[in-house]
Amino acid sequence: MTGLTVAIPVRSFREGKTRLAGHLSSIERANLIRSMLASVIEAVREAEIADRVLVVSADEEVLAFAADLDDLVVPVRQSLLAPGLIAAAEIARQRAIASGSERLLILFGDLPGVSAGDLRDLAQETAPVVIATDRIGAGTNGLLLQLDYPETHAFRFAYGPESCRLHLDEATRLGLEPVAAVIGGLALDLDTAEDFTALLASDRAIPDWLRALPIQPQEISA
């Protein structure tokens, strides 16, 4: 037992990745989300860092898909009355605390370049709050909370624009020493055509199905 719960919030397959709508059809976007989610969960399994992976969603299709992926996966139904990423993170924290987990890692499911090694590197961090940022240091692609610090039970999630800065500020407010780091494939989420270009330009091992996506390369901003 590792004492670590991994949680992956997923809104839906049919309504996600709308910023890629100019490049991919709704069916292609749904298949992309499925493939990336399966890839991230496989990386968690290979890393051997977690006791369980909670896939938190209000979408029945997502929950059914997650249930069939791996014995490590626990589908967790999110109420339609409390939608969104922040509510999903709260559900995951409650589940982790109730199960006696010492740590909670909230991870995005759209990290197709993430490796088992990246996840081990993140899991080895011992700071009470650890943020694995996106490639420009603005977003939070992975958030590790050490639950044996009682203050992390009151940590206010702030997913959205500039979430890295907001999460750092929240940790400081609680008197916790945070760490923010860019860690390999954890920094490479896939929301836009620019993200796709950055992913292809990286040193990540990219599967053929991802390289074959009909997304036009874009200029990468700093």
Side-chain angles (χ1 to χ4, degrees), residues 10-31:
V10 181
R11 183 175 66 172
S12 75
F13 294 141
R14 299 176 184 273
E15 299 174 6
K17 300 303 168 193
T18 55
R19 283 183 282 176
L20 291 172
H23 303 270
L24 303 175
S25 69
S26 59
I27 293 175
E28 288 171 326
R29 296 197 307 274
N31 288 336

Side-chain angles (χ1 to χ4, degrees), residues 140-162:
T140 304
N141 287 350
L143 178 61
L144 178 63
L145 299 179
Q146 310 287 352
L147 297 175
D148 52 354
Y149 288 84
E151 294 86 353
T152 63
H153 298 197
F155 185 91
R156 295 183 302 200
F157 300 108
Y159 288 103
E162 300 298 321

Side-chain angles (χ1 to χ4, degrees), residues 128-195:
V129 177
V130 184
I131 301 164
T133 75
D134 61 15
R135 60 185 173 82
I136 62 173
T140 304
N141 287 350
L143 178 61
L144 178 63
L145 299 179
Q146 310 287 352
L147 297 175
D148 52 354
Y149 288 84
E151 294 86 353
T152 63
H153 298 197
F155 185 91
R156 295 183 302 200
F157 300 108
Y159 288 103
E162 300 298 321
S163 65
C164 179
R165 176 182 59 80
L166 295 172
H167 285 144
L168 289 172
D169 289 347
E170 175 64 4
T172 301
R173 182 187 73 83
L174 293 170
L176 300 169
E177 189 71 29
V179 168
V182 177
I183 303 175
L186 283 161
L188 296 166
D189 53 352
L190 180 49
D191 286 312
T192 66
E194 184 181 87
D195 293 336

Side-chain angles (χ1 to χ4, degrees), residues 14-207:
R14 299 176 184 273
E15 299 174 6
K17 300 303 168 193
T18 55
R19 283 183 282 176
L20 291 172
H23 303 270
L24 303 175
S25 69
S26 59
I27 293 175
E28 288 171 326
R29 296 197 307 274
N31 288 336
L32 173 62
I33 297 169
R34 288 188 190 92
S35 297
M36 290 193 295
L37 176 59
S39 177
V40 170
I41 290 173
E42 176 63 15
V44 174
R45 187 191 64 76
E46 289 184 4
E48 298 182 336
I49 60 169
D51 295 330
R52 64 192 63 80
V53 177
L54 309 180
V55 173
V56 184
S57 182
D59 188 280
E60 294 296 335
E61 186 180 12
V62 171
L63 297 173
F65 179 81
D68 290 336
L69 278 178
D70 194 292
D71 291 342
L72 192 65
V73 177
V74 180
V76 177
R77 182 172 285 99
Q78 181 177 1
S79 172
L80 291 171
L81 300 178
L85 184 53
I86 291 175
E90 292 284 4
I91 292 168
R93 176 165 56 190
Q94 293 169 12
R95 284 290 190 105
I97 292 171
S99 69
S101 292
E102 298 169 357
R103 299 177 295 161
L104 170 65
L105 170 57
I106 301 171
L107 194 63
F108 283 174
D110 62 346
L111 304 170
V114 72
S115 70
D118 297 330
L119 294 170
R120 291 190 199 103
D121 288 344
L122 176 56
Q124 288 172 1
E125 294 283 351
T126 58
V129 177
V130 184
I131 301 164
T133 75
D134 61 15
R135 60 185 173 82
I136 62 173
T140 304
N141 287 350
L143 178 61
L144 178 63
L145 299 179
Q146 310 287 352
L147 297 175
D148 52 354
Y149 288 84
E151 294 86 353
T152 63
H153 298 197
F155 185 91
R156 295 183 302 200
F157 300 108
Y159 288 103
E162 300 298 321
S163 65
C164 179
R165 176 182 59 80
L166 295 172
H167 285 144
L168 289 172
D169 289 347
E170 175 64 4
T172 301
R173 182 187 73 83
L174 293 170
L176 300 169
E177 189 71 29
V179 168
V182 177
I183 303 175
L186 283 161
L188 296 166
D189 53 352
L190 180 49
D191 286 312
T192 66
E194 184 181 87
D195 293 336
F196 182 69
T197 304
L199 184 62
L200 295 185
S202 73
D203 61 355
R204 299 284 94 188
I206 306 302

